[in-house]
C-alpha cells in the first residue's frame, strides 16, 4: 500500500492545488459532512463522512478522472461500485484493475463502505428503525456530498458483486430514474426464492455476530419488508434501463486456482436467484444481458472479467 498523504499535503502540497477550497466542505441536507480526506495516489482519494444515517463515520473511495481538482465545479458521469459481504470499500481497487480500466475514461468511480454485512438497507431493527441506515447513507448523504463538492454528475450507473450485486439492483429499483444502468456479478437477486436463499443471508449475518432478524425481520412474518428490498419483486421498477447479470455455477473453472474445491453453498444459490431474476425481467419486457458462464467460483477473477464485459454498455449508458 502506498504511503498515505495527509489532508494538508493533498490540499496545499502543490501550487496547482493551493488556491482551491477544500472539496469536502460539501454538506448533505441532513448534516452529513466530510471530516477527513486522504490521497492514496494521483487518482485515488479516500474521504470519511460523518453520517447521521449511520450515527458514526464511514469511508468512501473515489477514483477521480483526468482534470479533476478539489472543489471542482465541473461534473462527470459516475459509476458506483458496491462491495460484497465480509469485505469493504477498498475491495474493488485491491482485487481488480478498475483503476487502470477507467484511467482514460470520462467518469468518477465511487466505492462506498457498505458495512461488513450491511445489505444496502436501512435496518428494521425489530420495528424500531434507526442505525444502521445504509440506503439513506448511500442514496442521500453520499450522493449529495459528491454532487455538491466532488464533481459527481447526475448521469449514474451502479454495479456490485454478491451482496453488492443485490445492492446495485435493489437500489436501482427502489430509486427509479436515479441510475441509467445496473449490473450484478454473482448477486443475490431473489432473496425470498427458497429456504436456502433466506438461510444464506441469515447465516452470513449470524456468522459475523449480527442479529439475523434485525435486517428485514422474519422472512415469513415480515414478508412485505423482504419483498420491498428484493430485486425480483421489484423487477417492474427496472424496465427502463439496461441491466447486466452474470454468475457461475460453483464448480472450479479456468480462472480458479488449480485444485480448487467446488462451492456448493454460495455461487449455486446466487446462480438460481440470478437466473430467476433475468427470466422475470425478460417476462416483463425489460432489457437485460445475462452471462451464466458455467464453471466458476464465487471469486474475484470472474468479477473482474465481468466488469470488463459490462464496461462498454456502462460507458454508453452514462455517456462516459
Amino acid at each position: 500500500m502506498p504511503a498515505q498523504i495527509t489532508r494538508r499535503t493533498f490540499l496545499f502540497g502543490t501550487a496547482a492545488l493551493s488556491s482551491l477550497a477544500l472539496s469536502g466542505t460539501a454538506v448533505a441536507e441532513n448534516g452529513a459532512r466530510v471530516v477527513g480526506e486522504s490521497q492514496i495516489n494521483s487518482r485515488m482519494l479516500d474521504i470519511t463522512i460523518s453520517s447521521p444515517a449511520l450515527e458514526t463515520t464511514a469511508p468512501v473511495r473515489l477514483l477521480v478522472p483526468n482534470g479533476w481538482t478539489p472543489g471542482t465545479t465541473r461534473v462527470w458521469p459516475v459509476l458506483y461500485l458496491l462491495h460484497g459481504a465480509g469485505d469493504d470499500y477498498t475491495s474493488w481497487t485491491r482485487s481488480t484493475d478498475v483503476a487502470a480500466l477507467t484511467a482514460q475514461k470520462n467518469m468518477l468511480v465511487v466505492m462506498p463502505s457498505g458495512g461488513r454485512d450491511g445489505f444496502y438497507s436501512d435496518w428494521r431493527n425489530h420495528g424500531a428503525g434507526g442505525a444502521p441506515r445504509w440506503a439513506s447513507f448511500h442514496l442521500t448523504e453520499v450522493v449529495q456530498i459528491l454532487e455538491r463538492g466532488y464533481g459527481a454528475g447526475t448521469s449514474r450507473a451502479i454495479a456490485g458483486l454478491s451482496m453488492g450485486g443485490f445492492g446495485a439492483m435493489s437500489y436501482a429499483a427502489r430509486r427509479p430514474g436515479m441510475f441509467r444502468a445496473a449490473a450484478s456479478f454473482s448477486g443475490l437477486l431473489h432473496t425470498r426464492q427458497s429456504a436456502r436463499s433466506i438461510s444464506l443471508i441469515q447465516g452470513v449475518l449470524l456468522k459475523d455476530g449480527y442479529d439475523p432478524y434485525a435486517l428485514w425481520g422474519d422472512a415469513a412474518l415480515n414478508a412485505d419488508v423482504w419483498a420491498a428490498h428484493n430485486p425480483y419483486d421489484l423487477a417492474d421498477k427496472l424496465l427502463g434501463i439496461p441491466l447486466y447479470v452474470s454468475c457461475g455455477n460453483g464448480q472450479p473453472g479456468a480462472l480458479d486456482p488449480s485444485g480448487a474445491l467446488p462451492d456448493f453453498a454460495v455461487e449455486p444459490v446466487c446462480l438460481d436467484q440470478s437466473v430467476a431474476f433475468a427470466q422475470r425481467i425478460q417476462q416483463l419486457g425489460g432489457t437485460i444481458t445475462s452471462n451464466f458462464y458455467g464453471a466458476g467460483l464465487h471469486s474475484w477473477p470472474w468479477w473482474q472479467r465481468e466488469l470488463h464485459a459490462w464496461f462498454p454498455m456502462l460507458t454508453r449508458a452514462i455517456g462516459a
Side-chain angles (χ1 to χ4, degrees):
M1 176 73 70
Q4 292 189 343
I5 303 173
T6 66
R7 174 196 264 187
R8 182 174 180 83
T9 301
F10 172 53
L11 294 173
F12 303 107
T14 69
L17 298 181
S18 60
S19 64
L20 296 173
L22 173 64
S23 50
T25 55
V27 178
E29 289 173 4
N30 68 342
R33 66 190 190 282
V34 173
V35 294
E37 291 181 345
S38 181
Q39 187 179 8
I40 307 304
N41 58 40
S42 61
R43 288 189 60 226
M44 193 183 301
L45 173 67
D46 288 353
I47 65 175
T48 301
I49 295 175
S50 176
S51 165
L54 301 178
E55 297 180 8
T56 187
T57 60
V60 178
R61 173 159 289 184
L62 308 178
L63 286 173
V64 301
N66 293 326
W68 185 95
T69 55
T72 182
T73 57
R74 180 181 171 185
V75 297
W76 285 265
V78 187
L79 168 60
Y80 290 85
L81 286 178
L82 308 182
H83 66 78
D87 217 326
D88 63 29
Y89 71 104
T90 68
S91 64
W92 279 99
T93 53
R94 179 201 68 222
S95 298
T96 76
D97 65 349
V98 64
L101 180 64
T102 60
Q104 302 305 317
K105 294 298 181 181
N106 184 39
M107 69 172 69
L108 177 70
V109 184
V110 179
M111 295 156 284
S113 171
R116 182 170 178 84
D117 304 313
F119 278 93
Y120 300 98
S121 301
D122 290 357
W123 283 40
R124 184 173 181 272
N125 291 321
H126 303 280
R133 292 185 292 138
W134 287 106
S136 296
F137 173 64
H138 294 134
L139 299 178
T140 300
E141 294 176 347
V142 171
V143 168
Q144 289 179 359
I145 285 171
L146 296 182
E147 291 182 0
R148 292 173 178 180
Y150 289 83
T154 57
S155 179
R156 315 177 190 93
I158 190 167
L161 64 99
S162 194
M163 179 183 79
F166 159 82
M169 291 300 178
S170 184
Y171 278 176
R174 285 149 61 192
R175 294 289 182 94
M178 186 171 187
F179 300 98
R180 297 188 181 184
S184 166
F185 314 129
S186 300
L188 296 161
L189 302 183
H190 191 358
T191 58
R192 305 193 305 140
Q193 184 180 39
S194 64
R196 192 179 182 194
S197 296
I198 294 166
S199 294
L200 175 59
I201 293 171
Q202 293 182 330
V204 166
L205 294 168
L206 189 63
K207 174 180 67 66
D208 286 334
Y210 297 103
D211 177 353
Y213 298 100
L215 175 59
W216 303 317
D218 181 273
L221 297 177
N222 305 111
D224 58 331
V225 181
W226 281 68
H229 294 82
N230 184 19
Y232 181 92
D233 286 310
L234 301 173
D236 62 317
K237 309 297 184 184
L238 291 164
L239 301 185
I241 62 173
L243 308 173
Y244 185 89
V245 178
S246 66
C247 197
N249 64 16
Q251 295 296 314
L255 301 183
D256 296 308
S258 176
L261 298 176
D263 165 18
F264 298 111
V266 180
E267 193 75 355
V269 177
C270 294
L271 177 61
D272 288 346
Q273 293 187 24
S274 296
V275 169
F277 172 80
Q279 291 174 343
R280 180 62 177 154
I281 293 293
Q282 290 170 338
Q283 289 168 359
L284 293 171
T287 301
I288 188 165
T289 300
S290 58
N291 182 21
F292 302 125
Y293 43 82
L297 298 179
H298 199 72
S299 61
W300 279 104
W302 300 100
W303 302 329
Q304 170 166 290
R305 189 190 71 173
E306 293 306 301
L307 177 63
H308 279 252
W310 178 58
F311 204 69
M313 302 176 214
L314 154 71
T315 55
R316 286 195 298 270
I318 64 175

